[in-house]
Amino acid sequence: MYARWLFLLALLLATVVGAQVPADLMLVDATPNATFNLPLAARAPHDGSGRLFVVEKCGTIKIVENGIVLS
């Protein structure tokens, strides 16, 4: 939940200062049962796999596929 509010705040700040938001950016709850340690970024590879890469502050990159964090 914290990550969602942080993301919305960043999006609002980017809009206010005139930064352009990528056209493919949208907020979805892709990992309702997962927890992350200070997530900094999340991005999809756009290769049709449905995966999502979540970068954490500690340097870990977690891969989420079909709502499940892969080991």
Side-chain angles (χ1 to χ4, degrees):
M1 187 67 157
Y2 172 75
R4 178 180 291 160
W5 285 108
L6 187 61
F7 174 80
L8 289 173
L9 179 61
L11 186 60
L12 176 65
L13 287 173
T15 305
V16 168
V17 297
Q20 290 197 351
V21 178
D24 64 340
L25 185 67
M26 70 175 142
L27 181 62
V28 295
D29 193 1
T31 58
N33 299 318
T35 58
F36 298 101
N37 184 20
L38 297 173
L40 298 175
R43 208 62 184 151
H46 300 292
D47 60 359
S49 66
R51 296 177 299 164
L52 181 68
F53 297 101
V54 179
V55 181
E56 297 178 322
K57 187 172 183 176
C58 63
T60 304
I61 299 174
K62 293 189 176 178
I63 302 171
V64 179
E65 189 169 23
N66 298 323
I68 299 170
V69 179
L70 301 180
S71 57

